[in-house]
mmCIF file of all heavy atoms in Angstrom:
data_model
loop_
_atom_site.group_PDB
_atom_site.id
_atom_site.type_symbol
_atom_site.label_atom_id
_atom_site.label_comp_id
_atom_site.label_asym_id
_atom_site.label_seq_id
_atom_site.Cartn_x
_atom_site.Cartn_y
_atom_site.Cartn_z
ATOM 1 N N TYR P 195 100.781 90.906 90.236
ATOM 2 C CA TYR P 195 100.846 91.640 88.970
ATOM 3 C C TYR P 195 100.493 93.103 89.209
ATOM 4 O O TYR P 195 99.526 93.425 89.902
ATOM 5 C CB TYR P 195 99.864 91.016 87.976
ATOM 6 C CG TYR P 195 99.884 91.632 86.595
ATOM 7 C CD1 TYR P 195 100.806 91.212 85.640
ATOM 8 C CD2 TYR P 195 98.980 92.624 86.248
ATOM 9 C CE1 TYR P 195 100.813 91.762 84.367
ATOM 10 C CE2 TYR P 195 98.975 93.184 84.987
ATOM 11 C CZ TYR P 195 99.896 92.755 84.055
ATOM 12 O OH TYR P 195 99.912 93.302 82.796
ATOM 13 N N ASN P 196 101.279 94.003 88.651
ATOM 14 C CA ASN P 196 101.052 95.432 88.834
ATOM 15 C C ASN P 196 99.947 95.882 87.885
ATOM 16 O O ASN P 196 100.195 96.400 86.796
ATOM 17 C CB ASN P 196 102.350 96.202 88.565
ATOM 18 C CG ASN P 196 102.290 97.640 89.057
ATOM 19 O OD1 ASN P 196 101.244 98.114 89.516
ATOM 20 N ND2 ASN P 196 103.398 98.337 88.954
ATOM 21 N N PHE P 197 98.702 95.722 88.317
ATOM 22 C CA PHE P 197 97.561 95.949 87.428
ATOM 23 C C PHE P 197 97.042 97.384 87.463
ATOM 24 O O PHE P 197 96.124 97.727 86.718
ATOM 25 C CB PHE P 197 96.419 94.982 87.770
ATOM 26 C CG PHE P 197 95.999 95.003 89.212
ATOM 27 C CD1 PHE P 197 95.092 95.937 89.671
ATOM 28 C CD2 PHE P 197 96.518 94.073 90.096
ATOM 29 C CE1 PHE P 197 94.694 95.950 90.999
ATOM 30 C CE2 PHE P 197 96.129 94.076 91.429
ATOM 31 C CZ PHE P 197 95.215 95.020 91.879
ATOM 32 N N LEU P 198 97.605 98.242 88.300
ATOM 33 C CA LEU P 198 97.174 99.635 88.353
ATOM 34 C C LEU P 198 98.024 100.491 87.414
ATOM 35 O O LEU P 198 99.186 100.174 87.168
ATOM 36 C CB LEU P 198 97.285 100.173 89.783
ATOM 37 C CG LEU P 198 96.383 99.513 90.831
ATOM 38 C CD1 LEU P 198 96.630 100.142 92.198
ATOM 39 C CD2 LEU P 198 94.915 99.641 90.449
ATOM 40 N N PRO P 199 97.480 101.574 86.878
ATOM 41 C CA PRO P 199 98.269 102.458 86.005
ATOM 42 C C PRO P 199 99.493 103.004 86.730
ATOM 43 O O PRO P 199 99.428 103.337 87.915
ATOM 44 C CB PRO P 199 97.289 103.581 85.653
ATOM 45 C CG PRO P 199 95.932 102.975 85.852
ATOM 46 C CD PRO P 199 96.068 102.001 86.982
ATOM 47 N N SER P 200 100.607 103.084 86.014
ATOM 48 C CA SER P 200 101.866 103.511 86.638
ATOM 49 C C SER P 200 101.949 105.017 86.822
ATOM 50 O O SER P 200 102.788 105.500 87.586
ATOM 51 C CB SER P 200 103.060 103.037 85.805
ATOM 52 O OG SER P 200 102.980 103.573 84.498
ATOM 53 N N GLY P 201 101.118 105.794 86.127
ATOM 54 C CA GLY P 201 101.146 107.245 86.280
ATOM 55 C C GLY P 201 102.415 107.860 85.720
ATOM 56 O O GLY P 201 103.089 107.277 84.866
ATOM 57 N N GLU P 202 102.761 109.016 86.231
ATOM 58 C CA GLU P 202 103.959 109.724 85.780
ATOM 59 C C GLU P 202 105.124 109.377 86.687
ATOM 60 O O GLU P 202 105.055 109.550 87.910
ATOM 61 C CB GLU P 202 103.724 111.230 85.793
ATOM 62 C CG GLU P 202 104.913 112.031 85.268
ATOM 63 C CD GLU P 202 104.644 113.523 85.290
ATOM 64 O OE1 GLU P 202 103.478 113.901 85.548
ATOM 65 O OE2 GLU P 202 105.592 114.287 85.058
ATOM 66 N N ILE P 203 106.199 108.873 86.085
ATOM 67 C CA ILE P 203 107.361 108.449 86.860
ATOM 68 C C ILE P 203 107.949 109.633 87.620
ATOM 69 O O ILE P 203 108.157 110.701 87.072
ATOM 70 C CB ILE P 203 108.418 107.827 85.938
ATOM 71 C CG1 ILE P 203 107.863 106.570 85.266
ATOM 72 C CG2 ILE P 203 109.684 107.483 86.718
ATOM 73 C CD1 ILE P 203 108.809 105.945 84.284
ATOM 74 N N GLY P 204 108.211 109.422 88.901
ATOM 75 C CA GLY P 204 108.777 110.462 89.743
ATOM 76 C C GLY P 204 107.776 111.161 90.634
ATOM 77 O O GLY P 204 108.161 111.903 91.536
ATOM 78 N N GLN P 205 106.477 110.926 90.405
ATOM 79 C CA GLN P 205 105.439 111.525 91.237
ATOM 80 C C GLN P 205 105.075 110.585 92.387
ATOM 81 O O GLN P 205 105.287 109.378 92.314
ATOM 82 C CB GLN P 205 104.204 111.833 90.399
ATOM 83 C CG GLN P 205 104.445 112.828 89.285
ATOM 84 C CD GLN P 205 104.881 114.186 89.806
ATOM 85 O OE1 GLN P 205 104.368 114.670 90.814
ATOM 86 N NE2 GLN P 205 105.839 114.798 89.112
ATOM 87 N N LEU P 206 104.510 111.156 93.449
ATOM 88 C CA LEU P 206 104.152 110.346 94.612
ATOM 89 C C LEU P 206 103.128 109.286 94.248
ATOM 90 O O LEU P 206 103.267 108.117 94.616
ATOM 91 C CB LEU P 206 103.623 111.255 95.726
ATOM 92 C CG LEU P 206 103.181 110.536 97.013
ATOM 93 C CD1 LEU P 206 104.341 109.796 97.652
ATOM 94 C CD2 LEU P 206 102.597 111.548 97.998
ATOM 95 N N PHE P 207 102.083 109.683 93.519
ATOM 96 C CA PHE P 207 101.057 108.730 93.099
ATOM 97 C C PHE P 207 101.438 108.176 91.728
ATOM 98 O O PHE P 207 100.955 108.627 90.690
ATOM 99 C CB PHE P 207 99.683 109.394 93.069
ATOM 100 C CG PHE P 207 99.211 109.862 94.415
ATOM 101 C CD1 PHE P 207 99.328 111.206 94.768
ATOM 102 C CD2 PHE P 207 98.689 108.980 95.335
ATOM 103 C CE1 PHE P 207 98.902 111.654 96.002
ATOM 104 C CE2 PHE P 207 98.265 109.413 96.579
ATOM 105 C CZ PHE P 207 98.378 110.749 96.913
ATOM 106 N N SER P 208 102.333 107.227 91.753
ATOM 107 C CA SER P 208 102.804 106.576 90.532
ATOM 108 C C SER P 208 103.207 105.147 90.863
ATOM 109 O O SER P 208 103.043 104.693 91.999
ATOM 110 C CB SER P 208 103.997 107.343 89.940
ATOM 111 O OG SER P 208 105.087 107.347 90.840
ATOM 112 N N ALA P 209 103.699 104.438 89.869
ATOM 113 C CA ALA P 209 104.196 103.062 90.037
ATOM 114 C C ALA P 209 103.088 102.063 90.342
ATOM 115 O O ALA P 209 103.373 100.952 90.798
ATOM 116 C CB ALA P 209 105.278 103.001 91.110
ATOM 117 N N GLY P 210 101.839 102.415 90.124
ATOM 118 C CA GLY P 210 100.747 101.458 90.240
ATOM 119 C C GLY P 210 100.591 100.876 91.626
ATOM 120 O O GLY P 210 100.371 101.590 92.614
ATOM 121 N N LEU P 211 100.749 99.566 91.711
ATOM 122 C CA LEU P 211 100.522 98.834 92.950
ATOM 123 C C LEU P 211 101.692 98.946 93.924
ATOM 124 O O LEU P 211 101.552 98.631 95.105
ATOM 125 C CB LEU P 211 100.271 97.358 92.612
ATOM 126 C CG LEU P 211 99.581 96.479 93.650
ATOM 127 C CD1 LEU P 211 98.186 96.995 93.944
ATOM 128 C CD2 LEU P 211 99.544 95.040 93.158
ATOM 129 N N THR P 212 102.844 99.385 93.451
ATOM 130 C CA THR P 212 104.065 99.357 94.257
ATOM 131 C C THR P 212 103.959 100.142 95.564
ATOM 132 O O THR P 212 104.276 99.604 96.632
ATOM 133 C CB THR P 212 105.252 99.868 93.428
ATOM 134 O OG1 THR P 212 105.403 99.040 92.278
ATOM 135 C CG2 THR P 212 106.526 99.855 94.244
ATOM 136 N N PRO P 213 103.542 101.422 95.578
ATOM 137 C CA PRO P 213 103.466 102.133 96.858
ATOM 138 C C PRO P 213 102.466 101.528 97.827
ATOM 139 O O PRO P 213 102.675 101.574 99.047
ATOM 140 C CB PRO P 213 103.064 103.558 96.449
ATOM 141 C CG PRO P 213 102.466 103.426 95.092
ATOM 142 C CD PRO P 213 103.177 102.291 94.444
ATOM 143 N N ILE P 214 101.395 100.948 97.314
ATOM 144 C CA ILE P 214 100.423 100.285 98.198
ATOM 145 C C ILE P 214 101.066 99.099 98.888
ATOM 146 O O ILE P 214 100.912 98.889 100.099
ATOM 147 C CB ILE P 214 99.185 99.843 97.395
ATOM 148 C CG1 ILE P 214 98.501 101.068 96.767
ATOM 149 C CG2 ILE P 214 98.198 99.087 98.282
ATOM 150 C CD1 ILE P 214 97.329 100.721 95.877
ATOM 151 N N LEU P 215 101.810 98.313 98.129
ATOM 152 C CA LEU P 215 102.503 97.159 98.711
ATOM 153 C C LEU P 215 103.540 97.600 99.735
ATOM 154 O O LEU P 215 103.694 96.974 100.786
ATOM 155 C CB LEU P 215 103.165 96.335 97.609
ATOM 156 C CG LEU P 215 102.219 95.585 96.674
ATOM 157 C CD1 LEU P 215 103.002 94.925 95.544
ATOM 158 C CD2 LEU P 215 101.425 94.532 97.442
ATOM 159 N N TYR P 216 104.243 98.683 99.434
ATOM 160 C CA TYR P 216 105.264 99.152 100.369
ATOM 161 C C TYR P 216 104.645 99.633 101.678
ATOM 162 O O TYR P 216 105.211 99.421 102.756
ATOM 163 C CB TYR P 216 106.084 100.270 99.734
ATOM 164 C CG TYR P 216 107.425 99.812 99.223
ATOM 165 C CD1 TYR P 216 108.012 100.407 98.119
ATOM 166 C CD2 TYR P 216 108.125 98.784 99.861
ATOM 167 C CE1 TYR P 216 109.250 99.984 97.650
ATOM 168 C CE2 TYR P 216 109.343 98.354 99.400
ATOM 169 C CZ TYR P 216 109.909 98.958 98.302
ATOM 170 O OH TYR P 216 111.128 98.536 97.849
ATOM 171 N N VAL P 217 103.502 100.283 101.614
ATOM 172 C CA VAL P 217 102.826 100.710 102.841
ATOM 173 C C VAL P 217 102.414 99.497 103.669
ATOM 174 O O VAL P 217 102.628 99.455 104.893
ATOM 175 C CB VAL P 217 101.605 101.579 102.505
ATOM 176 C CG1 VAL P 217 100.744 101.804 103.743
ATOM 177 C CG2 VAL P 217 102.036 102.919 101.918
ATOM 178 N N LEU P 218 101.852 98.498 103.019
ATOM 179 C CA LEU P 218 101.436 97.284 103.739
ATOM 180 C C LEU P 218 102.636 96.551 104.323
ATOM 181 O O LEU P 218 102.587 96.069 105.465
ATOM 182 C CB LEU P 218 100.666 96.365 102.787
ATOM 183 C CG LEU P 218 99.325 96.899 102.273
ATOM 184 C CD1 LEU P 218 98.712 95.935 101.269
ATOM 185 C CD2 LEU P 218 98.361 97.147 103.425
ATOM 186 N N ILE P 219 103.720 96.464 103.553
ATOM 187 C CA ILE P 219 104.927 95.794 104.047
ATOM 188 C C ILE P 219 105.510 96.561 105.232
ATOM 189 O O ILE P 219 105.933 95.973 106.238
ATOM 190 C CB ILE P 219 105.962 95.652 102.920
ATOM 191 C CG1 ILE P 219 105.463 94.664 101.864
ATOM 192 C CG2 ILE P 219 107.313 95.185 103.470
ATOM 193 C CD1 ILE P 219 106.337 94.595 100.625
ATOM 194 N N GLY P 220 105.548 97.904 105.124
ATOM 195 C CA GLY P 220 106.076 98.700 106.225
ATOM 196 C C GLY P 220 105.274 98.533 107.502
ATOM 197 O O GLY P 220 105.839 98.392 108.596
ATOM 198 N N LEU P 221 103.948 98.534 107.388
ATOM 199 C CA LEU P 221 103.104 98.336 108.568
ATOM 200 C C LEU P 221 103.274 96.948 109.153
ATOM 201 O O LEU P 221 103.313 96.780 110.383
ATOM 202 C CB LEU P 221 101.640 98.577 108.193
ATOM 203 C CG LEU P 221 101.271 100.015 107.807
ATOM 204 C CD1 LEU P 221 99.818 100.082 107.361
ATOM 205 C CD2 LEU P 221 101.522 100.972 108.949
ATOM 206 N N LYS P 222 103.387 95.950 108.302
ATOM 207 C CA LYS P 222 103.539 94.583 108.791
ATOM 208 C C LYS P 222 104.885 94.386 109.480
ATOM 209 O O LYS P 222 104.964 93.807 110.568
ATOM 210 C CB LYS P 222 103.396 93.589 107.637
ATOM 211 C CG LYS P 222 103.549 92.125 108.084
ATOM 212 C CD LYS P 222 103.187 91.160 107.000
ATOM 213 C CE LYS P 222 103.432 89.720 107.442
ATOM 214 N NZ LYS P 222 102.661 89.401 108.666
ATOM 215 N N VAL P 223 105.950 94.866 108.858
ATOM 216 C CA VAL P 223 107.277 94.715 109.452
ATOM 217 C C VAL P 223 107.364 95.484 110.767
ATOM 218 O O VAL P 223 107.889 94.977 111.769
ATOM 219 C CB VAL P 223 108.356 95.194 108.466
ATOM 220 C CG1 VAL P 223 109.727 95.252 109.147
ATOM 221 C CG2 VAL P 223 108.432 94.274 107.254
ATOM 222 N N GLY P 224 106.851 96.718 110.790
ATOM 223 C CA GLY P 224 106.902 97.507 112.008
ATOM 224 C C GLY P 224 106.138 96.867 113.156
ATOM 225 O O GLY P 224 106.633 96.792 114.283
ATOM 226 N N SER P 225 104.934 96.387 112.881
ATOM 227 C CA SER P 225 104.131 95.759 113.937
ATOM 228 C C SER P 225 104.726 94.428 114.361
ATOM 229 O O SER P 225 104.706 94.085 115.551
ATOM 230 C CB SER P 225 102.694 95.566 113.446
ATOM 231 O OG SER P 225 102.660 94.778 112.273
ATOM 232 N N GLU P 226 105.295 93.685 113.426
ATOM 233 C CA GLU P 226 105.865 92.379 113.767
ATOM 234 C C GLU P 226 107.112 92.531 114.635
ATOM 235 O O GLU P 226 107.282 91.819 115.636
ATOM 236 C CB GLU P 226 106.208 91.616 112.481
ATOM 237 C CG GLU P 226 106.098 90.118 112.618
ATOM 238 C CD GLU P 226 105.597 89.502 111.334
ATOM 239 O OE1 GLU P 226 106.004 89.946 110.246
ATOM 240 O OE2 GLU P 226 104.814 88.539 111.412
ATOM 241 N N LEU P 227 108.004 93.440 114.259
ATOM 242 C CA LEU P 227 109.192 93.682 115.071
ATOM 243 C C LEU P 227 108.818 94.264 116.434
ATOM 244 O O LEU P 227 109.465 93.961 117.443
ATOM 245 C CB LEU P 227 110.139 94.630 114.329
ATOM 246 C CG LEU P 227 110.807 94.070 113.072
ATOM 247 C CD1 LEU P 227 111.682 95.134 112.417
ATOM 248 C CD2 LEU P 227 111.639 92.836 113.392
ATOM 249 N N SER P 228 107.777 95.093 116.479
ATOM 250 C CA SER P 228 107.316 95.631 117.761
ATOM 251 C C SER P 228 106.792 94.522 118.655
ATOM 252 O O SER P 228 107.006 94.536 119.881
ATOM 253 C CB SER P 228 106.227 96.685 117.531
ATOM 254 O OG SER P 228 106.720 97.771 116.783
ATOM 255 N N ASN P 229 106.117 93.543 118.063
ATOM 256 C CA ASN P 229 105.653 92.397 118.837
ATOM 257 C C ASN P 229 106.826 91.601 119.402
ATOM 258 O O ASN P 229 106.786 91.132 120.544
ATOM 259 C CB ASN P 229 104.791 91.485 117.963
ATOM 260 C CG ASN P 229 103.383 92.006 117.792
ATOM 261 O OD1 ASN P 229 102.859 92.688 118.667
ATOM 262 N ND2 ASN P 229 102.768 91.715 116.667
ATOM 263 N N ILE P 230 107.878 91.433 118.600
ATOM 264 C CA ILE P 230 109.060 90.709 119.075
ATOM 265 C C ILE P 230 109.692 91.451 120.252
ATOM 266 O O ILE P 230 110.072 90.839 121.268
ATOM 267 C CB ILE P 230 110.074 90.530 117.929
ATOM 268 C CG1 ILE P 230 109.501 89.593 116.864
ATOM 269 C CG2 ILE P 230 111.393 89.975 118.461
ATOM 270 C CD1 ILE P 230 110.395 89.421 115.651
ATOM 271 N N ILE P 231 109.821 92.768 120.137
ATOM 272 C CA ILE P 231 110.377 93.567 121.232
ATOM 273 C C ILE P 231 109.518 93.436 122.482
ATOM 274 O O ILE P 231 110.030 93.251 123.594
ATOM 275 C CB ILE P 231 110.478 95.044 120.802
ATOM 276 C CG1 ILE P 231 111.511 95.198 119.688
ATOM 277 C CG2 ILE P 231 110.846 95.928 121.991
ATOM 278 C CD1 ILE P 231 111.516 96.576 119.063
ATOM 279 N N GLY P 232 108.201 93.526 122.300
ATOM 280 C CA GLY P 232 107.308 93.389 123.442
ATOM 281 C C GLY P 232 107.402 92.021 124.094
ATOM 282 O O GLY P 232 107.341 91.909 125.324
ATOM 283 N N ASN P 233 107.590 90.984 123.287
ATOM 284 C CA ASN P 233 107.706 89.631 123.845
ATOM 285 C C ASN P 233 108.980 89.464 124.657
ATOM 286 O O ASN P 233 108.993 88.777 125.687
ATOM 287 C CB ASN P 233 107.675 88.603 122.711
ATOM 288 C CG ASN P 233 106.312 88.508 122.065
ATOM 289 O OD1 ASN P 233 105.293 88.830 122.675
ATOM 290 N ND2 ASN P 233 106.274 88.088 120.806
ATOM 291 N N PHE P 234 110.063 90.071 124.203
ATOM 292 C CA PHE P 234 111.318 89.972 124.937
ATOM 293 C C PHE P 234 111.280 90.751 126.251
ATOM 294 O O PHE P 234 111.990 90.414 127.202
ATOM 295 C CB PHE P 234 112.479 90.495 124.073
ATOM 296 C CG PHE P 234 113.090 89.448 123.198
ATOM 297 C CD1 PHE P 234 112.959 89.521 121.821
ATOM 298 C CD2 PHE P 234 113.801 88.382 123.738
ATOM 299 C CE1 PHE P 234 113.521 88.562 121.007
ATOM 300 C CE2 PHE P 234 114.366 87.419 122.930
ATOM 301 C CZ PHE P 234 114.234 87.498 121.553
ATOM 302 N N LEU P 235 110.467 91.784 126.325
ATOM 303 C CA LEU P 235 110.455 92.658 127.487
ATOM 304 C C LEU P 235 109.235 92.446 128.365
ATOM 305 O O LEU P 235 108.895 93.322 129.172
ATOM 306 C CB LEU P 235 110.518 94.125 127.046
ATOM 307 C CG LEU P 235 111.813 94.528 126.329
ATOM 308 C CD1 LEU P 235 111.758 95.974 125.896
ATOM 309 C CD2 LEU P 235 113.015 94.309 127.254
ATOM 310 N N THR P 236 108.564 91.327 128.232
ATOM 311 C CA THR P 236 107.476 90.976 129.148
ATOM 312 C C THR P 236 107.794 89.666 129.832
ATOM 313 O O THR P 236 108.452 88.792 129.258
ATOM 314 C CB THR P 236 106.144 90.840 128.409
ATOM 315 O OG1 THR P 236 106.314 89.983 127.257
ATOM 316 C CG2 THR P 236 105.641 92.200 127.934
ATOM 317 N N GLN P 237 107.330 89.525 131.054
ATOM 318 C CA GLN P 237 107.620 88.342 131.835
ATOM 319 C C GLN P 237 106.716 87.210 131.454
ATOM 320 O O GLN P 237 105.533 87.396 131.148
ATOM 321 C CB GLN P 237 107.465 88.643 133.320
ATOM 322 C CG GLN P 237 108.440 89.687 133.837
ATOM 323 C CD GLN P 237 108.195 90.022 135.286
ATOM 324 O OE1 GLN P 237 107.187 89.637 135.859
ATOM 325 N NE2 GLN P 237 109.141 90.747 135.886
ATOM 326 N N GLY P 238 107.257 86.010 131.464
ATOM 327 C CA GLY P 238 106.469 84.832 131.162
ATOM 328 C C GLY P 238 105.491 84.504 132.258
ATOM 329 O O GLY P 238 105.670 84.840 133.424
ATOM 330 N N GLY P 239 104.446 83.810 131.893
ATOM 331 C CA GLY P 239 103.437 83.443 132.872
ATOM 332 C C GLY P 239 102.101 83.254 132.194
ATOM 333 O O GLY P 239 101.957 83.409 131.003
ATOM 334 N N GLU P 240 101.129 82.933 132.959
ATOM 335 C CA GLU P 240 99.800 82.712 132.405
ATOM 336 C C GLU P 240 99.143 84.041 132.076
ATOM 337 O O GLU P 240 99.303 85.029 132.782
ATOM 338 C CB GLU P 240 98.936 81.932 133.403
ATOM 339 C CG GLU P 240 99.481 80.521 133.674
ATOM 340 C CD GLU P 240 98.562 79.779 134.624
ATOM 341 O OE1 GLU P 240 97.581 80.394 135.084
ATOM 342 O OE2 GLU P 240 98.840 78.606 134.906
#
Side-chain angles (χ1 to χ4, degrees):
Y195 183 85
N196 194 355
F197 54 84
L198 296 179
S200 59
E202 183 180 351
I203 297 177
Q205 298 298 320
L206 179 61
F207 296 100
S208 62
L211 199 62
T212 301
I214 299 176
L215 291 174
Y216 259 148
V217 169
L218 294 176
I219 292 173
L221 293 176
K222 180 171 176 58
V223 171
S225 58
E226 211 145 39
L227 292 178
S228 298
N229 281 331
I230 293 176
I231 293 171
N233 290 336
F234 272 112
L235 296 178
T236 50
Q237 297 176 349
E240 296 182 357

